[in-house]
Amino acid sequence: MRFTEILAFAVRGVTANKLRSALTTLGIMIGVASVILLIAVGNGASQSVQQSIAGLGTNILTVSPQRAQAGSTTKPLTVADATALADPVEAPAVKSASPVVSASATASHAATSYSVQQFIGTDPAYFGTTNSEVAQGALFSTDDVRQGRKVVVIGATVATQLFPSSQPVGQSILVNNIPFTVVGVLATKGSSGLQDADDIAVAPLSTVQNALAGYGSLSQIVVQATSADKLADAQAQVTTILDGRHKIGYGQTADYRVLSQEQLLSARTATTDTFTVLLASVAAISLLVGGIGVTNIMLVTVTERIREIGIRKAVGARRGSILGQFLLEATMLSLFGGALGVAAGFIGSGFTIAGITPVVVPSSVLLAFAVSALIGLFFGSYPASRAARLRPIEALRHE
Amino acid sequence: MTARSGSTRGGNTRSGNTRGGDTRPVDTRAVNALAGNSLAGSAPTGSASTGSASIGSAPGGGAPVIEVRELRKTYGSGDTAVHALRGLDLVVERGEYLAIMGASGSGKSTLLNVLGCLDIPTSGRYLIDGIDTSEFGEAQLGLLRNRKIGFVFQSFNLIPRTTALANVELPLVYAGVRRAERRARSMAALRMVGLEDRAGHRPNELSGGQQQRVAIARALVTGPAIVLADEPTGNLDTHSSQEVMGILDRLHASGRTVVLITHEDDVAAHARRVIRVVDGQIVESRTAWGVPA
């Protein structure tokens, strides 16, 4: 009894009932495809968050004010603090420190008005620190900050909202009814998962303090370390300088806090991780349901063919050949369904789903394929081996 | 020769595969006898001359083809035990044409199933071509069914959705016969039952009589020592019954041993000897003409 003969029997068994074979294949295909696709969606979401972390830079610290302990005075963060942090002697690991104030602002141009998510005032070093590049026009200069000129650089989202059909550079917009001139448009940075990084407008610090935010505390100071490796050094130096300037004693709670970008974004990463786990469990359930479908069909297939097994045994088939035939049938159905599922998963992941570009995880392809194949094999082989063990007369009498 | 190497290899390697406890190696003598007979010895089909030659060349030529001693088969146990066979003795000589008659539940079907190695007796000895089967395991019984026995069922038992030719080829596939030889022998067997032109038809495209003739072709394609038929005409009309009995008559005429079960006297009249089974024992043995035998 050669293998090719058993294979021929198995092929004949699969093709004998085409509808049932097709449905079995379909069940496996849907299970495999959904696992691949849903994990790809989750993975795509978390990758876009990771990219936005990388886009914001890994060598950045954010200093922001924080309410101090009761009894002690809370000193505001000032421009002088920012200047002190940029001292190359006191803080050699710090490359630059940009003071930032933010304001809520509604910008309008002609009849269009738009509420900008982040309207911030800062100095030109901020653009380098946050990897912001200009797409059109130019950035404002240190001179603009010194002079308090009413110029603004807008993000791509703001530009398309206010200037859907015209060039924004050189145009005048009203920000809370104060006229600003658009000098540049920033290059697109994309979504950071939960926030649109392009929904931004940046103006000189002095202008924003003067016109919009007032001269109170800075919202934050964005500090750039000389390199990602020096981030911890920079954090220590920033803490030392600010403790001195704000007179924070040992053991006292500071009236500011220093966070790295990664720390800020780790919360967002945790959110998308939850999202991925949720999707993966939904996918696992669909694979399980698919597997139960396969099991059911395999059981029915074998039970229905116990008589055939009896006939084969009556003419001299050995247990091994019968078992081999049914295992091969199950394997062929599983492999074929699995291959179709992988194909469907890859095709599906080419589309953008709910604003997320899915990224296929190779291990999920392997896992889904292997699990579906094993389910088919195990639940196909169990009833087949039981039937193959029957005496021919028992199998022949089976109704 | 393909058949010989296939069977010997199969017999030895599969013996470890048998059901719990029965792991002893295959009885070499039995396997040699099996491999040496029928398949290896017989040319295509069981046509008249070659059939006789095959039988004549079989080892243990002097022994009866079937010898049954003190055969018992009990279903269940204790008070509810059903004794289908109660110490039955039977000898069938080479080339005999035997009909088994009896009422429903008399044990005649159980007897035929044991003779066909489809069922295992509770106790007693069953020698086929002089080979004792009582110690045989599953693999060796499979080999016996494949090489020595052709079984024809009342309900035909063809594999559905499979062509007549593929059905007839089935025992040869399990015997390890090569494709070309298999095809030639199966076509010859189909020719013998007059269904050569229906080789490509599936069972559901054939009449009951044609299906039974395909089943007979399958039973004789390996050139078996015995052809067993369990009520072969039970599901057939008169015309088809006559065709089927005509084929069995020809098998007998060509020297093959034929044992069949029937309820009908006119079917039993084809046989040379008739035995009657009552309550698991043979109560009468006579020739077809009524003379006790």
Side-chain angles (χ1 to χ4, degrees):
Chain A
M1 188 78 201
R2 281 181 293 275
F3 175 76
T4 50
E5 307 286 4
I6 302 180
L7 188 67
F9 281 146
V11 169
R12 219 174 288 159
V14 166
T15 51
N17 196 332
K18 291 191 180 62
L19 180 64
R20 188 174 56 200
S21 300
L23 287 174
T24 314
T25 309
L26 189 69
I28 301 178
M29 182 189 129
I30 290 171
V32 170
S34 66
V35 166
I36 293 172
L37 199 55
L38 291 181
I39 292 181
V41 167
N43 185 44
S46 79
Q47 280 208 359
S48 80
V49 169
Q50 280 162 15
Q51 274 165 9
S52 74
I53 293 172
L56 286 168
T58 51
N59 56 344
I60 292 174
L61 295 171
T62 313
V63 183
S64 45
Q66 146 178 284
R67 193 181 295 267
Q69 268 175 315
S72 64
T73 51
T74 302
K75 281 197 170 185
L77 284 176
T78 61
V79 178
D81 286 334
T83 315
L85 291 180
D87 186 333
V89 180
E90 293 283 326
V94 172
K95 189 177 171 192
S96 68
S98 307
V100 174
V101 289
S102 35
S104 64
T106 304
S108 60
H109 171 75
T112 330
S113 95
Y114 180 69
S115 177
V116 183
Q117 201 177 50
Q118 298 182 72
F119 191 98
I120 62 175
T122 184
D123 65 13
Y126 176 83
F127 295 107
T129 308
T130 56
N131 291 341
S132 303
E133 281 168 16
V134 70
Q136 295 171 37
L139 301 171
F140 56 79
S141 64
T142 319
D143 191 45
D144 289 330
V145 179
R146 211 174 295 134
Q147 300 292 325
R149 290 199 185 104
K150 292 190 176 61
V151 290
V152 66
V153 176
I154 57 177
T157 304
V158 179
T160 47
Q161 289 290 335
L162 292 178
F163 304 95
S165 56
S166 56
Q167 278 292 329
V169 176
Q171 302 258 27
S172 176
I173 60 169
L174 290 174
V175 179
N176 292 2
N177 290 323
I178 298 155
F180 278 75
T181 306
V182 178
V183 293
V185 177
L186 295 173
T188 310
K189 284 177 117 178
S191 164
S192 66
L194 302 168
Q195 199 177 23
D196 183 0
D198 297 324
D199 195 355
I200 192 170
V202 189
L205 175 72
S206 50
T207 317
V208 176
Q209 281 183 320
N210 185 25
L212 299 164
Y215 291 92
S217 173
L218 294 175
S219 306
Q220 53 183 207
I221 300 170
V222 178
V223 176
Q224 187 178 20
T226 48
S227 71
D229 298 338
K230 296 280 188 205
L231 198 67
D233 292 349
Q235 190 158 4
Q237 290 158 11
V238 165
T239 309
T240 311
I241 293 168
L242 287 180
D243 277 354
R245 291 179 60 85
H246 288 214
K247 312 226 160 21
I248 308 295
Y250 180 78
Q252 277 183 297
T253 307
D255 54 5
Y256 65 92
R257 62 182 169 162
V258 185
L259 285 176
S260 67
Q261 279 296 341
E262 274 181 274
Q263 285 167 321
L264 274 176
L265 281 163
S266 64
R268 288 185 194 173
T269 315
T271 314
T272 56
D273 279 351
T274 314
F275 180 55
T276 309
V277 168
L278 191 74
L279 285 177
S281 46
V282 170
I285 289 169
S286 76
L287 186 61
L288 185 71
V289 171
I292 292 169
V294 174
T295 308
N296 194 10
I297 290 173
M298 288 295 173
L299 275 168
V300 169
T301 304
V302 173
T303 311
E304 187 185 285
R305 289 166 67 189
I306 285 182
R307 221 175 136 80
E308 178 190 326
I309 292 172
I311 297 170
R312 290 179 183 277
K313 292 202 81 173
V315 300
R318 285 189 198 81
R319 197 181 300 164
S321 356
I322 286 172
L323 206 55
Q325 177 188 339
F326 279 89
L327 280 180
L328 272 174
E329 283 187 22
T331 311
M332 276 193 288
L333 288 177
S334 305
L335 291 186
F336 189 56
L340 283 180
V342 170
F346 272 103
I347 291 168
S349 62
F351 296 95
T352 305
I353 297 160
I356 295 162
T357 310
V359 179
V360 174
V361 185
S363 61
S364 76
V365 176
L366 211 65
L367 179 87
F369 199 74
V371 167
S372 70
L374 285 179
I375 286 173
L377 272 185
F378 178 75
F379 290 105
S381 66
Y382 173 68
S385 76
R386 259 187 30 187
R389 221 175 294 143
L390 286 176
R391 254 178 245 162
I393 196 66
E394 290 166 341
L396 281 170
R397 278 185 191 141
H398 185 88
E399 290 303 325
Chain B
M1 185 178 244
T2 323
R4 184 193 302 272
S5 63
S7 68
T8 313
R9 185 180 61 230
N12 285 331
T13 51
R14 304 288 169 159
S15 63
N17 227 355
T18 48
R19 194 172 50 237
D22 184 27
T23 52
R24 70 197 182 82
V26 174
D27 181 338
T28 323
R29 184 181 60 91
V31 170
N32 287 343
L34 289 176
N37 188 26
S38 41
L39 265 188
S42 71
T45 79
S47 65
S49 55
T50 53
S52 307
S54 148
I55 288 163
S57 68
V65 71
I66 289 173
E67 187 177 356
V68 165
R69 294 282 168 232
E70 271 296 305
L71 200 66
R72 289 177 190 280
K73 178 72 184 177
T74 309
Y75 296 102
S77 59
D79 293 340
T80 58
V82 175
H83 301 279
L85 298 175
R86 303 162 184 261
L88 185 143
D89 295 310
L90 176 67
V91 173
V92 179
E93 297 296 340
R94 201 165 299 280
E96 255 201 280
Y97 194 175
L98 177 74
I100 303 172
M101 298 190 77
S104 296
S106 60
K108 59 186 191 312
S109 281
T110 305
L111 173 63
L112 203 71
N113 290 335
V114 170
L115 294 183
C117 293
L118 298 175
D119 208 349
I120 296 166
T122 309
S123 68
R125 269 155 56 89
Y126 171 32
L127 283 75
I128 180 166
D129 253 4
I131 303 161
D132 192 348
T133 64
S134 47
E135 295 297 315
F136 273 19
E138 134 112 28
Q140 292 124 303
L141 287 177
L143 207 57
L144 268 183
R145 286 195 293 270
N146 189 246
R147 304 296 151 82
K148 291 281 183 188
I149 298 161
F151 210 106
V152 179
F153 301 89
Q154 181 179 358
S155 51
F156 322 136
N157 277 341
L158 298 178
I159 294 181
R161 303 189 199 93
T162 305
T163 62
L165 182 65
N167 265 291
V168 174
E169 279 186 347
L170 201 60
L172 297 179
V173 174
Y174 288 118
V177 177
R178 274 183 209 289
R179 179 180 293 268
E181 190 192 347
R182 205 162 73 204
R183 188 125 306 184
R185 286 170 65 173
S186 303
M187 284 309 290
L190 280 173
R191 196 178 307 127
M192 199 216 150
V193 298
L195 286 176
E196 199 183 7
D197 55 334
R198 300 293 161 96
H201 288 56
R202 284 149 210 270
N204 59 359
E205 297 161 346
L206 298 170
S207 74
Q210 289 170 332
Q211 288 187 51
Q212 192 61 299
R213 280 147 68 194
V214 171
I216 294 174
R218 181 179 66 189
L220 56 84
V221 75
T222 53
I226 342 160
V227 173
L228 303 173
D230 187 354
E231 298 198 44
T233 62
N235 285 357
L236 301 179
D237 59 49
T238 317
H239 177 69
S240 300
S241 297
Q242 281 168 358
E243 279 181 347
V244 165
M245 289 315 296
I247 294 167
L248 291 178
D249 288 350
R250 269 189 286 149
L251 282 179
H252 166 67
S254 73
R256 230 164 260 289
T257 313
V258 178
V259 177
L260 65 89
I261 286 179
T262 185
H263 281 300
E264 298 157 53
D265 287 326
D266 53 341
V267 170
H270 286 260
R272 297 293 172 271
R273 180 155 74 105
V274 178
I275 61 170
R276 192 172 293 277
V277 178
V278 174
D279 291 339
Q281 280 178 318
I282 296 172
V283 296
E284 185 192 8
S285 179
R286 58 175 170 83
T287 65
W289 305 276
V291 182

